[in-house]
Amino acid sequence: DIPPGTVARSDGYVFMHKPAKIIAFQPHLHLLGVKQCLELIYPSEGASAKTEVINCINFNNSWHLSYNYADDVAPLVPAGTLLHIISWQDNTTANKNNPDPKNWVGNGQRTIDEMAFAWIGWYDLTDEEYKAAWDERNRQRQSRRAPTAQQP
């Protein structure tokens, strides 16, 4: 439910049963959709979970873009991670795509209805593949930080 003159937020979650490499993110909303973010909630043993927002897209219903990660920066996620999709719909006059900001909008398949989800591309890794990918990523980061020898 998105009452007239309001901005609404919706949240969706996917539990990653296996380690994985995320290769793409494609937000999908309808006319009221204005923003969508992908956050990782890492597994934790304590009371506080570590989170990381890895993508936030200002959504435009005219362009349904897929954001593909380069191989060397594609997020690596351990088993037990939650993918958290956060979406905002704007039912106010500030949203130029809103056909009638005085109207209540509900969930549905039509473009004038509202909904929010994301296509997320990933492939599962074995524990060994995850560790090797993580170690390689750290080696690459270290080599980029290493000082270079001065030329005479």
Side-chain angles (χ1 to χ4, degrees), residues 38-125:
L38 172 57
E39 175 185 49
L40 303 178
I41 304 172
Y42 296 105
S44 68
E45 295 185 19
S48 62
K50 180 183 176 211
T51 65
E52 179 180 20
V53 175
I54 60 170
N55 238 327
C56 274
I57 306 304
N58 290 325
F59 187 74
N60 179 338
N61 192 60
S62 298
W63 300 96
H64 291 255
L65 301 176
S66 183
Y67 300 88
N68 299 300
Y69 295 101
D71 192 53
D72 61 334
V73 295
L76 298 169
V77 298
T81 299
L82 279 174
L83 304 185
H84 179 201
I85 299 297
I86 310 160
S87 305
W88 288 268
Q89 292 93 2
D90 183 350
N91 194 10
T92 71
T93 56
N95 181 354
K96 64 180 178 62
N97 293 321
N98 191 347
D100 187 359
K102 295 177 276 179
N103 196 21
W104 168 91
V105 177
N107 184 49
Q109 299 298 315
R110 303 173 306 165
T111 303
I112 60 169
D113 297 328
E114 198 47 67
M115 46 72 69
F117 68 90
W119 284 286
I120 301 172
W122 78 79
Y123 58 87
D124 292 336
L125 301 170

